[in-house]
């Protein structure tokens, strides 16, 4: 008889972990409070960008680089399982500077990433405009990242839900998990919509809602929401060939001429409104980067909640006190990027009952003595 695993949360991470476990011959039940994939996974821009946001070659950076390198084969496997195409696009990215202080920051990134052997290239004003002719004439210089990619995250959501179903994952939509059941500090199951389900292991992939579960009197590491507002514009033909980063803004071009502009970073609780100020800053900065976007059509505006943690690292691994309770949450700005590596490492942990070395820097044990939130 197959061992039963329960995954809490139907975002990309939850669906990917569930699919991987089902492929490894576990019986998998996935619980999602609403519809799978409709929160941060749906709201993101689908950038696969390990380099542009990194400050140093820390363990998170290494994990992101590893996951990025797995993406091509991962998408191919999903296509074979589902027949669906999530539009993985390998067109690179550029990060632009308008003034001397931003140039200096970019040159620092260039130095350490070049030393790490990563593909990164400095572009002069003219080289940046040759690559992307619709960029502002005010651009002073840029970095070009050949290995930064993108995927259509909403298509990836659909693809992963289909893959999970094809692999036999039992998806319970509209089913809110409120409690993780234990016996003598070992997981025995969950309560969802007031019904009990048994399992030998429970994976907490509930994103920003990851610390809202009741588990005996134990502590759960804190995960909290950070809002990102987004807007999409319609251009025809497309004004950009690759993702452009500027400061904490980015413009992500899709194949159909849509340009997605992100994003704000706001701690406003579980509030997913789009605000006038948020929209104004996105539109102003988009036009600063590509002035002709002033004539683009407005398409859509939305906001999502990134699952953040107190030290900025994801929480991946076994709870230090409750056997069988595993975390796969807190991916913050890197949820889409970290899908393949999270699915692989969490499935290995379940299968071998031993934490893979790559997970050690992200263990929930680091929160045991400090910065913990009492379970509610
Ligand atoms: N990774 C982009 C964002 O979180 O806005």
């Amino acid at each position: 008889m197959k061992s039963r695993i329960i995954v809490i949360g139907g975002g990309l991470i939850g669906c990917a972990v569930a699919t991987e476990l089902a492929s490894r011959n576990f019986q998998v039940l996935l619980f999602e409070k609403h519809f799978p994939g409709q929160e941060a996974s749906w709201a993101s821009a689908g950038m696969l960008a390990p380099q542009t946001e990194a400050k140093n070659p820390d363990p998170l950076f290494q994990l992101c680089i590893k996951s990025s390198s797995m993406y091509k084969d991962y998408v191919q496997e999903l296509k074979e399982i589902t027949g669906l195409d999530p539009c993985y696009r390998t067109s690179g990215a550029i990060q632009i500077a308008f003034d001397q202080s931003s140039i200096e920051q970019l040159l620092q990134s260039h130095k350490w990433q070049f030393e790490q052997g990563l593909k990164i290239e400095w572009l002069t004003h003219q080289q940046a405009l040759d690559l992307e002719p619709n960029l502002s004439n005010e651009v002073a210089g840029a970095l070009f990242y050949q290995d930064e990619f993108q995927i259509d995250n909403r298509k990836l959501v659909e693809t992963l839900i289909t893959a999970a179903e094809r692999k036999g994952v039992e998806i319970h939509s509209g089913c809110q998990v409120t409690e993780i059941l234990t016996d003598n500090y070992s997981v025995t199951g969950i309560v969802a919509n007031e019904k009990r389900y048994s399992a030998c292991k429970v994976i907490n992939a509930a994103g920003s809602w990851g610390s809202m579960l009741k588990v005996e009197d134990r502590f759960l590491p804190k995960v909290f929401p950070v809002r990102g507002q987004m807007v999409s514009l319609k251009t025809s033909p497309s004004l950009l060939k690759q993702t452009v980063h500027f400061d904490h803004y980015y413009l992500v071009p899709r194949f159909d001429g849509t340009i997605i502009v992100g994003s704000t970073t706001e701690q406003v609780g579980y509030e997913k409104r789009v605000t006038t100020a948020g929209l104004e800053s996105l539109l102003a900065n988009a036009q600063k980067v590509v002035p002709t976007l002033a004539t683009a059509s407005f398409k859509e505006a939305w906001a999502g909640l990134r699952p953040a943690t107190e030290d900025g690292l994801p929480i991946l691994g076994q709870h230090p006190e409750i056997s069988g309770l595993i975390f796969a949450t807190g991916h913050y700005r890197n949820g889409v990027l970290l899908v393949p590596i999270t699915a692989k490492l969490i499935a290995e942990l379940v299968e071998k009952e031993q934490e893979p070395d790559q997970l050690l820097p992200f263990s929930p044990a680091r929160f045991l003595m400090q910065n913990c939130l009492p379970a509610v």
Side-chain angles (χ1 to χ4, degrees):
M1 202 169 116
K2 291 182 181 181
S3 308
R4 183 193 271 187
I5 315 288
I6 285 179
V7 177
I8 308 171
L12 285 173
I13 296 290
C15 287
V17 170
T19 305
E20 185 63 32
L21 286 168
S23 303
R24 295 179 188 217
N25 222 19
F26 290 97
Q27 184 197 8
V28 187
L29 275 59
L30 182 146
F31 289 81
E32 164 54 45
K33 61 185 176 348
H34 298 308
F35 295 105
Q38 297 304 298
E39 294 288 354
S41 307
W42 179 89
S44 88
M47 286 185 298
L48 304 175
Q51 291 174 251
T52 38
E53 290 187 5
K55 299 276 173 284
N56 54 59
D58 60 12
L60 176 59
F61 175 73
Q62 306 300 348
L63 195 75
C64 288
I65 289 285
K66 177 72 189 151
S67 200
S68 180
S69 73
M70 292 166 70
Y71 240 100
K72 185 165 173 258
D73 291 346
Y74 187 68
V75 168
Q76 187 53 36
E77 260 173 56
L78 290 177
K79 277 187 186 170
E80 280 160 22
I81 298 167
T82 63
L84 299 173
D85 180 5
C87 297
Y88 175 65
R89 185 169 167 181
T90 56
S91 45
I94 69 174
Q95 192 167 28
I96 60 172
F98 285 106
D99 55 34
Q100 196 53 36
S101 95
S102 321
I103 287 181
E104 274 155 29
Q105 275 176 21
L106 294 192
L107 288 173
Q108 270 175 22
S109 297
H110 184 273
K111 183 173 183 304
W112 73 260
Q113 293 194 18
F114 187 76
E115 282 166 8
Q116 291 285 312
L118 296 159
K119 288 188 187 143
I120 184 163
E121 199 182 319
W122 176 252
L123 302 178
T124 61
H125 161 85
Q126 195 50 51
Q127 287 169 325
L129 283 160
D130 288 347
L131 202 59
E132 286 290 3
N134 289 302
L135 284 180
S136 163
N137 212 29
E138 303 295 311
V139 166
L143 286 175
F144 175 59
Y145 301 87
Q146 193 183 321
D147 284 345
E148 292 234 325
F149 308 137
Q150 61 147 300
I151 195 157
D152 186 325
N153 48 298
R154 294 183 187 177
K155 290 197 168 120
L156 183 61
V157 161
E158 194 192 334
T159 306
L160 261 169
I161 294 168
T162 307
E165 285 167 348
R166 298 256 162 99
K167 289 287 174 186
V169 174
E170 205 181 288
I171 299 180
H172 295 249
S173 299
C175 229
Q176 174 131 32
V177 177
T178 45
E179 188 174 350
I180 295 170
L181 300 169
T182 59
D183 181 24
N184 203 18
Y185 298 113
S186 267
V187 158
T188 57
I190 56 144
V191 178
N193 288 6
E194 294 175 19
K195 199 171 155 199
R196 285 168 174 256
Y197 297 82
S198 65
C200 60
K201 289 197 171 45
V202 170
I203 321 282
N204 180 350
S208 291
W209 293 264
S211 46
M212 283 187 163
L213 297 156
K214 190 166 167 244
V215 193
E216 290 193 13
D217 58 347
R218 295 293 98 182
F219 286 95
L220 286 184
K222 184 173 171 183
V223 187
F224 57 94
V226 175
R227 181 168 74 187
Q229 299 188 44
M230 311 276 283
V231 60
S232 64
L233 307 171
K234 185 83 185 158
T235 64
S236 179
S238 184
L239 296 178
L240 293 173
K241 295 191 281 289
Q242 57 236 307
T243 300
V244 180
H245 298 258
F246 157 57
D247 210 350
H248 56 272
Y249 297 96
Y250 43 83
L251 282 69
V252 184
R254 296 285 198 238
F255 285 124
D256 68 353
T258 300
I259 293 184
I260 297 175
V261 184
S263 181
T264 60
T265 305
E266 305 159 89
Q267 282 194 45
V268 289
Y270 291 86
E271 168 79 73
K272 282 196 292 179
R273 268 179 331 113
V274 174
T275 64
T276 315
L279 209 49
E280 196 173 61
S281 81
L282 295 176
L283 292 175
N285 281 287
Q287 288 169 76
K288 182 173 162 122
V289 173
V290 178
T292 41
L293 275 175
T295 59
S297 308
F298 172 82
K299 196 173 167 192
E300 195 187 346
W302 67 96
L305 303 174
R306 306 175 182 93
T309 61
E310 298 209 310
D311 60 5
L313 299 178
I315 306 172
L316 306 169
Q318 162 70 45
H319 189 287
E321 293 180 321
I322 301 173
S323 161
L325 174 56
I326 292 167
F327 288 79
T329 186
H331 292 74
Y332 191 41
R333 298 181 79 91
N334 295 303
V336 183
L337 174 61
L338 290 174
V339 162
I341 191 85
T342 303
K344 176 176 177 281
L345 295 178
I346 296 293
E348 270 176 33
L349 164 60
V350 170
E351 201 168 46
K352 298 185 182 149
E353 302 212 331
Q354 196 189 340
E355 215 121 35
D357 287 350
Q358 276 168 287
L359 286 185
L360 296 179
F362 312 105
S363 166
R366 71 192 191 269
F367 294 111
L368 188 63
M369 300 305 290
Q370 50 175 358
N371 296 333
C372 285
L373 180 79
V376 286

